[in-house]
Amino acid sequence: MDRETIFCKADEEAVRKAGEILRNGGLVAFPTETVYGLGANALDEKAAARIYAAKGRPSDNPLIVHITRREALGRIVTEVPEAAERLMDAFWPGPMTLIFQKSPEVPYGTTGGLDTVAVRMPSHPVARAVIEAGGGYIAAPSANTSGRPSPTKASHVAEDLMGKVDMILDGGEVEIGLESTIVDVSVAEPVILRPGYISLEMLQGVVGKVSVDQALLRDDAGIRPKAPGMKYKHYAPKADLKIVEGSEEAVAARINELIRQGREKGKRIGVIAAKESAYRYQGGIVKTVGSREEDLSIAQHLFGILREFDTLGVSEIYSEAFDTPRMGQAIMNRLMKAAGHQVIKA
Ligand code: TXA
Ligand code: MG
């Protein structure tokens, strides 16, 4: 512990204090609608550097700059393409981050040395109040130690960052549970660099042609993702996580067999299942992540369950696949990364 961390409810007085800390170059963790963020003044290179130190984050992994008003954009980007205007009209404030060409006002310490800058306008009232109080330009990566699952509750932030940041604002559980969709609009045709709540179909509905970064579609290590952060091993639980794919019956039979084999060797085995199929598993530690009928509930609880397993001391975790229509792309992107792309076909 190298500094004292204030942990408190995100009331008006706490937000005022958070603003003061941010304006003085300090670090404040706060809730957003996606995941908790770790904020610092984005236009102050020294403040941004503290974020990297607290998270243990590689310095070439750029930060997202959070704003609350469209007028704020002019100071940090050089041009706003037509497609960006339409996407902002449709999805801001909300869980979408856009990549623009940066202006000289944004330090390279914030963009990881890139000439582009990621910008997001969150909708969460606490996030908005903190950004305003802190001066209007707040760099905020997810508020976890680099490599751990993103925090969806204030207690997750405390687990990772107590003693490393100035303040943690508790605003309860987040709504979405997976980080924002990142769309590169600095190129001719918009490209999704990270899937999220705002899906490919929703983006296409607004701007027509949108593509997906090839590196997200294959687990081929040879293709370099355009969002530098997507190349790192992420969200990794301590146990060996594998995804089991196939029909509901075949998946359950295979996982039950793996549980039996594990138990014979004296191992504790974890299972991540949907509400609809959880009853099929016997002998393991079964966690119900959410309902396939309402896949936002799966997104909301996935990272929290990965964290829970870390405290339960299981040595292997088997997860169902969740290729649901609405949020399946985003959920499977995070789950595949957590599993290091290990998939068993049942
Ligand atoms: O929902 C979210 O976006 C959350 C909340 C706190 O707002 N923030 C978040 O930040 O997820 P972080 O730092 O955990 O993820 C940012 C991602 C990284 O993969 C990074 O490489 C990418 O955005 N990124 C940032 N700036 C970029 C740029 N200029 N070009 C390409 N990718 C960029
Ligand atoms: Mg992150």
Side-chain angles (χ1 to χ4, degrees):
M1 283 244 237
D2 45 14
R3 68 173 92 183
E4 203 173 312
T5 302
I6 305 168
F7 182 103
C8 63
K9 276 243 157 327
D11 59 19
E12 213 173 300
E13 174 54 23
V15 168
R16 197 196 52 74
K17 177 75 185 159
E20 198 181 295
I21 292 171
L22 289 168
R23 284 171 195 268
N24 287 319
L27 302 183
V28 176
F30 58 89
T32 83
E33 68 276 23
T34 56
V35 298
Y36 273 74
L38 176 60
N41 181 357
L43 306 183
D44 173 353
E45 201 150 22
K46 285 204 198 107
R50 292 197 184 107
I51 290 183
Y52 289 91
K55 282 180 59 88
R57 179 177 175 112
S59 62
D60 68 341
N61 190 3
L63 307 173
I64 297 174
V65 180
H66 294 64
I67 59 174
T68 58
R69 294 170 296 114
R70 280 279 277 277
E71 306 83 77
L73 205 54
R75 185 163 166 203
I76 54 174
V77 310
T78 56
E79 61 160 324
V80 180
E82 167 68 23
E85 294 279 7
R86 300 228 295 274
L87 291 172
M88 292 187 291
D89 285 341
F91 304 117
W92 273 8
M96 177 185 73
T97 296
L98 297 179
I99 310 287
F100 297 94
Q101 288 299 323
K102 84 171 192 71
S103 82
E105 289 239 25
V106 185
Y108 282 112
T110 296
T111 66
L114 297 177
D115 287 314
T116 51
V117 60
V119 187
R120 167 157 129 75
M121 186 191 289
S123 60
H124 195 292
V126 172
R128 298 180 63 83
V130 170
I131 296 161
E132 284 290 327
Y137 296 93
I138 300 299
S142 49
N144 51 283
T145 297
S146 201
R148 292 213 74 203
S150 294
T152 55
K153 300 177 189 181
S155 61
H156 296 161
V157 181
E159 261 169 38
D160 288 10
L161 298 178
M162 210 64 184
K164 296 184 172 161
V165 303
D166 299 296
M167 189 178 209
I168 299 171
L169 290 174
D170 185 352
E173 253 187 87
V174 302
E175 249 177 83
I176 296 176
L178 301 178
E179 308 87 342
S180 60
T181 306
I182 303 180
V183 187
D184 189 354
V185 288
S186 72
V187 289
E189 187 183 301
V191 187
I192 297 182
L193 306 189
R194 179 175 72 183
Y197 179 85
I198 307 291
S199 64
L200 175 63
E201 293 71 27
M202 288 161 82
L203 297 167
Q204 284 170 335
V206 174
V207 288
K209 269 198 123 178
V210 177
S211 59
V212 178
D213 186 6
Q214 286 302 303
L216 300 182
L217 301 176
R218 343 178 167 180
D219 51 353
D220 181 346
I223 306 177
R224 231 188 109 164
K226 295 206 186 88
M230 299 298 280
K231 73 172 181 272
Y232 295 106
K233 187 169 181 206
H234 248 99
Y235 321 120
K238 289 178 189 149
D240 189 31
L241 169 65
K242 294 191 172 85
I243 301 167
V244 185
E245 280 181 352
S247 71
E248 195 178 305
E249 292 77 12
V251 167
R254 186 63 184 269
I255 291 181
N256 279 328
E257 179 57 27
L258 289 161
I259 294 171
R260 205 161 32 243
Q261 288 169 5
R263 277 164 63 104
E264 273 168 19
K265 295 184 203 135
K267 291 180 178 167
R268 281 154 76 87
I269 310 290
V271 178
I272 302 175
K275 190 173 121 197
E276 292 81 1
S277 42
Y279 74 93
R280 294 177 179 272
Y281 302 99
Q282 283 126 30
I285 301 175
V286 183
K287 296 274 175 200
T288 302
V289 62
S291 164
R292 287 178 193 277
E293 299 292 304
E294 229 186 291
D295 62 356
L296 184 57
S297 63
I298 298 176
Q300 268 170 348
H301 300 123
L302 181 64
F303 286 149
I305 283 180
L306 292 177
R307 279 180 181 264
E308 275 180 47
F309 273 129
D310 280 352
T311 63
L312 287 171
V314 299
S315 53
E316 292 165 24
I317 306 170
Y318 297 100
S319 178
E320 296 179 349
F322 305 101
D323 297 289
T324 52
R326 176 62 194 82
M327 291 204 63
Q329 264 194 347
I331 294 167
M332 288 310 291
N333 170 264
R334 306 312 193 276
L335 194 57
M336 285 291 257
K337 283 176 62 133
H341 294 272
Q342 302 183 91
V343 177
I344 297 172
K345 304 273 181 208

